[in-house]
């Protein structure tokens, strides 16, 4: 599995309630850990036993060193993670409301140049079974998607919202797994029928929109499939969508049906929400299997003893 996109160093604070302007709030929990959409999805896959390779950008600052170390500690290959001299890495401050798990994020892009297509050679894709993109670095993402398709590698995009180049990237993908905001940006009226029309217009064989506590809707050439979200005692929803993408990619790599894939991704995302941060609470496969078994949901067996990156 390969992924190209964002990696981040997150500072997280849990508060009893959001402070009003010109006030103060004491944090019940204060943590720092790695995050970022594509990076977090790959960490989820790595914990499920999938070899992963990541391409992105960090600065030569302390946050960049921590991001790289965090990826390496999870077994994610960072050989194509570029370091920009004199640049600052992507950072985020996340305030989490105790009791609900809701969060507000303030983030800053990396100050270094985005990946250039020339920094994404075919060597990055060698042996890959699936490419994941988040669309932030449009030129490199379009290049990688085109090369992957020419090599017969399926492509999935994490479409968080409409950005320059995002529609072009989505139209190069086999799987579009989008946040609700992406479809709202397209004018979605929140009805299944309209979703089906917008999904068909993207041209991808499988399109899913995540709806938070309402679950998800998926279109794959038939009637839209609704999968409810799993109920857990949520501590923090940070990274839940990113982990959902990781679980979705796992299902694709296993050759599961669309329904099985979405159910597994939903379980993985829900379980993550039981701990603070994007990556700390990501479970491993036996834990997910147990979680689903207790809810009378059967996880299909792996389709291969080994899965390529």
């Amino acid at each position: 599995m390969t992924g190209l996109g964002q990696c981040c160093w997150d500072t997280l604070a849990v508060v009893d309630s959001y402070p009003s302007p010109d006030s103060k709030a004491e944090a019940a929990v204060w943590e720092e850990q790695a995050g970022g959409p594509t990076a977090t999805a790959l960490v989820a896959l790595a914990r499920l036993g999938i070899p992963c390779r990541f391409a992105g950008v960090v600065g030569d600052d302390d946050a960049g060193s921590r991001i790289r170390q965090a990826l390496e500690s999870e077994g994610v290959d960072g050989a194509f993670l570029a370091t920009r001299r004199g640049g600052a890495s992507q950072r985020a401050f996340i305030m989490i409301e105790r009791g609900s798990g809701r969060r507000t994020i303030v983030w800053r892009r990396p100050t270094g140049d985005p990946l250039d297509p020339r920094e994404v050679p075919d060597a990055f894709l060698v042996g890959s079974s699936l490419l994941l993109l988040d669309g932030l670095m449009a030129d490199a993402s379009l290049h990688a998607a085109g090369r992957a398709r020419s090599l017969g590698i399926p492509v999935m995009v994490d479409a968080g919202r409409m950005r320059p180049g995002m529609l072009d990237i989505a139209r190069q993908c086999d799987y579009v797994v989008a946040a609700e905001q992406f479809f709202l940006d397209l004018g979605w009226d929140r009805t299944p029928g309209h979703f089906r029309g917008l999904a068909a217009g993207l041209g991808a064989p499988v399109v899913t929109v995540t709806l938070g506590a309402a679950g998800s809707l998926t279109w794959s050439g038939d009637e839209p499939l609704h999968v409810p979200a799993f109920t857990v005692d949520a501590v923090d929803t940070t990274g839940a969508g990113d982990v959902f993408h990781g679980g979705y990619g796992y299902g694709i790599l296993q050759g599961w049906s669309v329904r099985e894939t979405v159910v597994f991704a939903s379980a993985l995302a829900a379980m993550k929400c039981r701990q603070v941060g994007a990556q700390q609470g990501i479970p491993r496969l036996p834990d997910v299997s147990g979680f689903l078994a207790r809810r009378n949901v059967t996880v299909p067996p792996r389709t291969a003893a080994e899965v390529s990156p």
Side-chain angles (χ1 to χ4, degrees):
M1 174 86 181
T2 46
L4 187 159
Q6 299 177 67
C7 54
C8 188
W9 191 252
D10 296 342
T11 299
L12 306 110
V14 178
V15 297
D16 288 330
S17 61
Y18 291 118
S20 59
D22 297 322
S23 68
K24 297 179 180 180
E26 182 177 358
V29 176
W30 186 281
E31 288 195 12
E32 294 188 29
Q33 57 181 275
T38 297
T40 297
L42 293 184
V43 168
L45 281 153
R47 290 198 187 171
L48 295 171
I50 302 298
C52 294
R53 188 180 300 135
F54 176 68
V57 169
V58 292
D60 58 356
D61 54 357
D62 181 63
S65 297
R66 293 185 180 192
I67 291 168
R68 187 181 292 276
Q69 182 178 15
L71 289 168
E72 291 175 354
S73 71
E74 295 287 351
V76 177
D77 180 357
F80 294 89
L81 176 58
T83 299
R84 302 299 191 224
R85 294 185 62 183
S89 301
Q90 183 167 316
R91 297 291 300 266
F93 178 75
I94 303 164
M95 188 173 289
I96 304 150
E97 184 181 58
R98 191 206 295 265
S100 71
R102 297 183 303 176
R103 80 282 189 268
T104 297
I105 301 175
V106 179
W107 69 288
R108 181 195 66 187
R109 295 171 185 262
T111 61
D113 291 337
L115 280 178
D116 186 278
R118 291 170 295 183
E119 295 178 286
V120 191
D122 284 356
F124 171 66
L125 296 166
V126 168
S128 180
S129 300
L130 179 67
L131 170 66
L132 171 64
L133 306 167
D134 61 30
L136 189 68
M137 294 179 283
D139 290 345
S141 295
L142 280 168
H143 169 77
R147 292 303 301 146
R149 290 176 69 87
S150 71
L151 296 168
I153 301 167
V155 184
M156 177 170 69
V157 65
D158 169 359
R161 62 184 310 121
M162 196 59 62
R163 294 188 175 106
M166 183 64 85
L167 268 180
D168 292 332
I169 294 168
R171 288 170 177 152
Q172 291 284 323
C173 292
D174 304 277
Y175 303 90
V176 175
V177 186
E180 182 179 20
Q181 187 59 53
F182 175 80
F183 278 96
L184 293 176
D185 291 343
L186 288 175
W188 186 33
D189 63 8
R190 291 193 169 92
T191 63
H194 193 206
F195 167 68
R196 178 175 181 171
L198 291 172
L202 294 174
V206 183
V207 180
T208 296
V209 57
T210 57
L211 304 169
S216 64
L217 273 177
T218 298
W219 180 80
S220 58
D222 202 347
E223 291 300 315
L225 166 69
H226 175 246
V227 173
F230 287 94
T231 301
V232 296
D233 292 328
V235 172
D236 178 19
T237 58
T238 301
D242 310 330
V243 174
F244 183 94
H245 285 84
Y248 205 105
Y250 185 83
I252 293 169
L253 293 173
Q254 301 309 309
W256 293 347
S257 70
V258 171
R259 178 183 289 276
E260 290 166 338
T261 295
V262 176
V263 168
F264 182 85
S266 300
L268 198 71
M271 294 177 73
K272 180 243 78 73
C273 293
R274 300 180 301 184
Q275 293 190 46
V276 171
Q279 298 180 11
Q280 181 173 277
I282 300 173
R284 300 187 185 275
L285 189 57
D287 299 318
V288 189
S289 299
F291 178 90
L292 290 171
R294 290 190 294 274
R295 289 156 178 79
N296 297 316
V297 179
T298 301
V299 179
R302 290 174 65 106
T303 56
E306 295 183 0
V307 181
S308 299

